[in-house]
C-alpha cells in the first residue's frame, strides 16, 4: 500500500520513469493515506509493533528512505510528526546508519527529471517486424537437432539395477 505509490512519485524525480502528473497526484494521495495510518499506529507505540525495533520497522524505514530524502519536504512532513520522529529515530541508530548511511531529510521536494537514457523504452523500427520470420527458422533447426540427438542408453531406473 505504500511502496508502489511512493515509487510512482519518486521514480520520475530520479529519472527512472516518465512523470504523468495525474498519476503522480494520485500516488501522493495514496502515500498520505498510508502515512496517516502509520501516524495512528505510532501514537500508541514507539515502534510499529511495540517498544522494540522489529523487521517491520526495518522494512518500512528502507521503503520510506527515498521519500524522506527526495520528496517529503518540511511542509509535507509537518502533517506526520510521529512518523517523522520514528523515521529520524530509526535512521539515527548505528545499525541503520551502517546500512543506509547518514541521511539528510529533504528541504525542498525534487522535481521530475527527464527519463535517463538507460531507462527509455527501446525504439521500435520496421526492421523489428521482419525478425519474427527469422526467429522461426532457428526453431525448426532446433527440432531437427533434437530429432538427431541420440537416445539415452538406459532409463535411470535401469542404471541403479546395473550397479
Amino acid at each position: 500500500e505504500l511502496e508502489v505509490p511512493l515509487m510512482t512519485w519518486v521514480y520520475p524525480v530520479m529519472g527512472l520513469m516518465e512523470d504523468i502528473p495525474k498519476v503522480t497526484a494520485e500516488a501522493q494521495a495514496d502515500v498520505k493515506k498510508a502515512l496517516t495510518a502509520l501516524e495512528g499506529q505510532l501514537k500508541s507505540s514507539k515502534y510499529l509493533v511495540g517498544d522494540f525495533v522489529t523487521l517491520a520497522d526495518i522494512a518500512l524505514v528502507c521503503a520510506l528512505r527515498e521519500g524522506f530524502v527526495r520528496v517529503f519536504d518540511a511542509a509535507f512532513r509537518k502533517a506526520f510528526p510521529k512518523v517523522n520522529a520514528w523515521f529520524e529515530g530509526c535512521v539515527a541508530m548505528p545499525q541503520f546508519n551502517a546500512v543506509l548511511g547518514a541521511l539528510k531529510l529533504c528541504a525542498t521536494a525534487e522535481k521530475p527529471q527527464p527519463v535517463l537514457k538507460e531507462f527509455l523504452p527501446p525504439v521500435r523500427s520496421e526492421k523489428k517486424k521482419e525478425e519474427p520470420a527469422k526467429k522461426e527458422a532457428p526453431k525448426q533447426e532446433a527440432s531437427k537437432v533434437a530429432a538427431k540427438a541420440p537416445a539415452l542408453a538406459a532409463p535411470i531406473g535401469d542404471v541403479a539395477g546395473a550397479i
Side-chain angles (χ1 to χ4, degrees):
E1 290 183 33
L2 178 64
E3 288 179 290
V4 172
L6 181 57
M7 291 306 112
T8 301
W9 182 5
V10 170
Y11 282 176
V13 166
M14 297 172 73
L16 301 179
M17 69 183 223
E18 180 183 358
D19 179 48
I20 303 169
K22 180 182 178 200
V23 173
T24 301
E26 290 171 0
Q28 289 170 344
D30 289 345
V31 168
K32 286 179 182 177
K33 182 179 175 184
L35 291 180
T36 300
L38 186 57
E39 184 76 14
Q41 175 62 30
L42 290 169
K43 286 182 179 177
S44 62
S45 62
K46 184 175 180 180
Y47 297 100
L48 295 177
V49 187
D51 294 327
F52 301 96
V53 174
T54 64
L55 183 57
D57 298 287
I58 296 167
L60 204 51
V61 165
C62 292
L64 288 168
R65 179 191 185 281
E66 293 300 327
F68 273 95
V69 170
R70 296 180 186 273
V71 294
F72 297 171
D73 59 15
F76 181 86
R77 292 191 311 264
K78 187 175 183 178
F80 309 104
K82 295 281 188 187
V83 173
N84 196 47
W86 163 81
F87 182 83
E88 288 186 55
C90 287
V91 298
M93 293 178 187
Q95 297 86 348
F96 281 90
N97 202 325
V99 175
L100 301 175
L103 299 181
K104 183 177 184 235
L105 298 182
C106 175
T108 304
E110 295 179 21
K111 302 293 181 208
Q113 304 297 314
V115 177
L116 298 171
K117 180 177 75 171
E118 299 86 17
F119 294 96
L120 288 172
V123 178
R124 298 181 186 253
S125 65
E126 293 298 318
K127 291 180 183 178
K128 295 267 184 186
K129 291 181 181 177
E130 296 173 14
E131 283 187 30
K134 290 180 183 178
K135 286 185 180 179
E136 289 176 17
K139 286 182 184 176
Q140 292 172 353
E141 290 176 22
S143 63
K144 289 179 186 176
V145 171
K148 292 180 183 178
L152 292 175
I156 294 176
D158 292 346
V159 173
I163 296 179

